[in-house]
């Protein structure tokens, strides 16, 4: 089934079930008022939501048009947003950038950070920055929402708690990253609100593309309507979602509704922008700039400025977005 | 008014109003089912809670005994737990320890980290660790719960959103701190669930002890029933709560229910353990060990082991806990 959270004036929004083709939706209010409530009662709510989904998809019930512009983040305020670093080549590339920390790459254990989770953005909400000279970047990622995970969960236990999958944009202010890392307290100011796809889907909605705790589909990215990348999220994922979730539970339990990010999806290749239409490309600007610096001695791809647009979508083999598209513009924050 | 969250089998517990002397309480269920709901509707819920508090304290209504052993964390699952570093002398002392990062001290801007907020501990819940050789430590802090804070809030705006005050224990696994800091992604495994006092109180409950966005009361700490410290939380707080909250809002807004910690409360002094009963002492073991190393060439105070007990309380001038006591033991986690 596919679910979304629609704006209704309340902090947690309104839970709806969305049709497989993303055109129609129906309120799930009789089952759970919002997604966190559904996750809190998943054993009973999930079968009821699945039944509602079947009725919606078969045309047996009345439905309304699904407007992704009305979607909040699936969990507009979540209790935990943990971003991993599943794709080592992202760090390999980005850490060649001036100002980044010259840390030893970790291939034995995944890096994780606790992100701010109290104000997550819907798919079409603007990226608000006070100053667009902060080197505004996006990071295209896969995110999963889990059930409750015991402390020191095994990989199998972690995998069993993957309930929902979507796409996210881990917005990064690169000029502030180096400061945050230098402080030693981790990302804080450099990571404003993360944005999420308009729809979340259970693993079965991805068919055979979901296996081995990875999503074997392309993540298509455009910047200002120009093709930017389409790495395969199933390729070069060194730490899969079971690894990331299990690692996150090393010293504490995770509750239902925990969001875990894959880290920036990146495939190893030697392309340099501009990326050809059949190329792999990049899921963030920092990586593109890093390879440009190596090749040309100078980064060419600019960071995002006011009004710039980024779209990110998980696409199936036909190129169709499975959980809709993130479609954001950068806007200057004004008090 | 004073509030608490009692265990009722649900994730968010039951909101109660507690009497000023902490002996009695009454359900606030008719006003808000739980504290987050009250914070979401503070403009209407706060006056209603205050009226209930007056009725309780005047003896006008029936009440039940308040048992802090039944208290969950005020927000058992919170959307944001941001820990600051208001007291510079904590970092000054701790960073002399082997394995800590030799970073330049920040006196111009406060350090902040985003803590895990999905499974916060009640005042008497055990500190669960898989292995008590991880250098288990406590950190006694003041914590405030805020209303909504705009992005780039001023100090005055930040101060105006301080709604509730309590005490907390930012449990730290010192053996994992160095690893977390080296990774550059910040504290993660080294900070298991933080524990909070059984009661939260509005600033007015502290009378003149709350001013200049600091709490001018002692934080009394015992370890295994022996006196460990009683630093004054109003002394040597370089960054006050308005500074910490405003800094936290630099690149993103904060929602109602955000918890902000003061950092380990520390006063500058040259005492070395054992601390005399009229001494100032320490609010964490790492600082005591750091000064022991400097004085004796070797740390003497052991970290916490299975069964060890730590108590932490904000006390008034008569030595009475204002929001109750954190009273935790270390327990080994078993699957």
């Amino acid at each position: 089934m596919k679910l979304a959270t629609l704006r209704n004036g309340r902090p947690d929004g309104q839970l709806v079930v969305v049709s497989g083709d993303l055109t129609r939706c129906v309120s799930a209010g009789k089952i759970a008022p919002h997604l966190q409530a559904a996750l809190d009662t998943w054993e009973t709510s999930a079968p009821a939501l699945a039944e509602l989904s079947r009725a919606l998809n078969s045309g047996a019930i009345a439905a309304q048009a699904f407007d992704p512009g009305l979607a909040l983040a699936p969990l507009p305020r979540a209790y935990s947003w943990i971003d991993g670093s599943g794709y080592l080549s992202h760090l390999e590339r980005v850490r060649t950038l001036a100002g980044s920390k010259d840390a030893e790459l970790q291939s034995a254990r995944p890096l994780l950070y606790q992100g701010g989770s109290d104000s997550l953005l819907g798919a079409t909400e603007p990226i608000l920055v006070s100053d667009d000279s902060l080197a505004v970047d996006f990071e295209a990622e896969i995110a999963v929402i889990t059930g409750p995970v015991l402390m020191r969960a095994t990989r199998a236990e972690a995998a069993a708690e993957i309930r929902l999958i979507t796409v996210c944009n881990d917005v990064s202010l690169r000029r502030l990253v180096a400061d945050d890392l230098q402080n030693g307290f981790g990302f804080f100011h450099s990571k404003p609100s993360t944005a999420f796809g308009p729809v979340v889907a259970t693993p079965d909605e991805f068919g055979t593309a979901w296996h081995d705790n990875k999503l074997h589909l392309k993540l298509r990215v455009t910047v200002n309507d120009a093709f930017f990348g389409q790495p395969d999220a199933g390729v070069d994922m060194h730490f899969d979602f079971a690894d990331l979730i299990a690692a996150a539970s090393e010293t504490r339990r995770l509750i239902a509704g925990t969001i875990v990010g894959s880290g920036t999806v990146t495939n190893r290749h030697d392309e340099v922008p501009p990326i050809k239409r059949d190329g792999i490309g990049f899921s963030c600007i920092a990586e593109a700039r890093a390879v440009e610096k190596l090749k040309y001695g100078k980064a060419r791809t600019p960071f995002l400025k006011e009004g710039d647009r980024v779209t990110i979508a998980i696409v199936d083999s036909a190129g169709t977005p499975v959980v809709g598209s993130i479609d954001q513009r950068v806007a200057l924050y004004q008090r």
Side-chain angles (χ1 to χ4, degrees), chain A:
Chain A
M1 63 194 169
K2 298 186 179 183
L3 306 172
T5 297
L6 296 187
R7 188 182 303 277
N8 69 346
R10 294 194 190 152
D12 301 302
Q14 158 74 54
L15 181 64
V16 296
V17 175
V18 182
S19 63
D21 64 2
L22 309 183
T23 60
R24 293 167 303 125
C25 67
V26 60
S27 168
K30 285 187 181 162
I31 299 167
H34 48 73
L35 181 55
Q36 182 65 49
L39 289 160
D40 287 342
T41 57
W42 197 242
E43 280 183 31
T44 52
S45 69
L49 292 167
E51 191 175 319
L52 186 57
S53 172
R54 280 189 294 273
L56 171 66
N57 282 310
S58 69
I61 53 172
Q64 61 185 99
F66 175 66
D67 177 359
L70 297 179
L72 300 174
L75 293 169
R77 50 179 187 176
Y79 296 107
S80 187
W81 156 230
I82 296 169
D83 202 7
S85 198
Y87 302 82
L88 299 185
S89 44
H90 170 63
L91 285 180
E92 286 166 16
R93 286 195 186 117
V94 171
R95 287 190 168 172
T96 66
L97 279 176
S100 286
K101 199 174 170 228
D102 186 23
E104 191 174 287
L105 283 169
Q106 305 281 321
S107 57
R109 289 170 67 207
L111 296 183
L112 302 166
Y113 81 88
Q114 189 79 44
S117 58
D118 61 332
S119 59
L120 303 176
L121 298 179
T124 62
E125 291 187 82
I127 297 169
L128 278 182
V129 294
S130 60
D131 176 351
D132 67 359
S133 74
L134 292 174
V136 183
D137 201 355
F138 59 89
E139 293 193 348
E141 307 191 5
I142 309 296
V144 301
I145 301 179
T146 76
V149 177
L150 287 174
M151 184 167 146
R152 297 183 79 76
T154 62
R155 288 186 76 252
E157 289 168 338
E161 294 301 335
I162 297 172
R163 290 178 174 175
L164 296 163
I165 300 167
T166 190
V167 61
C168 74
N169 176 11
D170 178 37
V171 178
S172 297
L173 305 175
R174 300 287 178 198
R175 261 186 51 200
L176 304 182
V177 165
D179 260 9
D180 275 355
L181 296 185
Q182 288 269 324
N183 286 340
F185 273 32
F187 300 117
F188 193 92
H189 304 301
S190 59
K191 297 285 188 180
S193 298
T194 301
F196 288 82
V199 168
V200 290
T202 45
D204 61 286
E205 291 283 350
F206 297 90
T208 56
W210 174 259
H211 61 84
D212 296 332
N213 305 306
K214 301 177 190 181
L215 187 58
H216 298 262
L217 289 178
K218 289 180 179 176
L219 198 52
R220 192 177 62 201
V221 177
T222 72
V223 175
N224 292 330
D225 305 316
F227 174 69
F228 201 86
Q230 54 181 355
D232 188 319
V235 172
D236 290 338
M237 192 184 196
H238 184 82
F239 298 110
D240 64 27
F241 277 106
D243 292 322
L244 297 175
I245 297 165
S249 77
E250 189 180 306
T251 60
R252 53 193 161 104
R253 69 191 177 95
L254 313 177
I255 69 167
T258 295
I259 310 173
V260 177
S262 65
T264 308
V265 174
T266 308
N267 294 168
R268 287 198 170 81
H269 61 71
D270 51 13
E271 299 166 10
V272 178
I275 303 301
K276 292 188 186 125
R277 192 59 195 86
D278 61 350
I280 295 169
F282 302 97
S283 301
C284 70
I285 293 172
E287 285 188 44
R289 289 173 62 88
V291 301
E292 287 170 335
K293 268 195 186 166
L294 286 175
K295 172 109 177 186
Y296 306 119
K298 189 168 179 288
R300 295 177 176 186
T301 305
F303 286 111
L304 301 178
K305 293 286 182 187
E306 183 184 7
D308 282 349
R309 178 184 183 194
V310 57
T311 73
I312 305 170
I314 297 166
V315 293
D316 63 18
S317 54
T320 305
V322 185
V323 290
S325 294
I326 289 174
D327 186 347
Q328 297 185 278
R329 286 188 189 272
V330 175
L332 288 187
Y333 173 72
Q334 291 178 327
R335 288 295 305 272

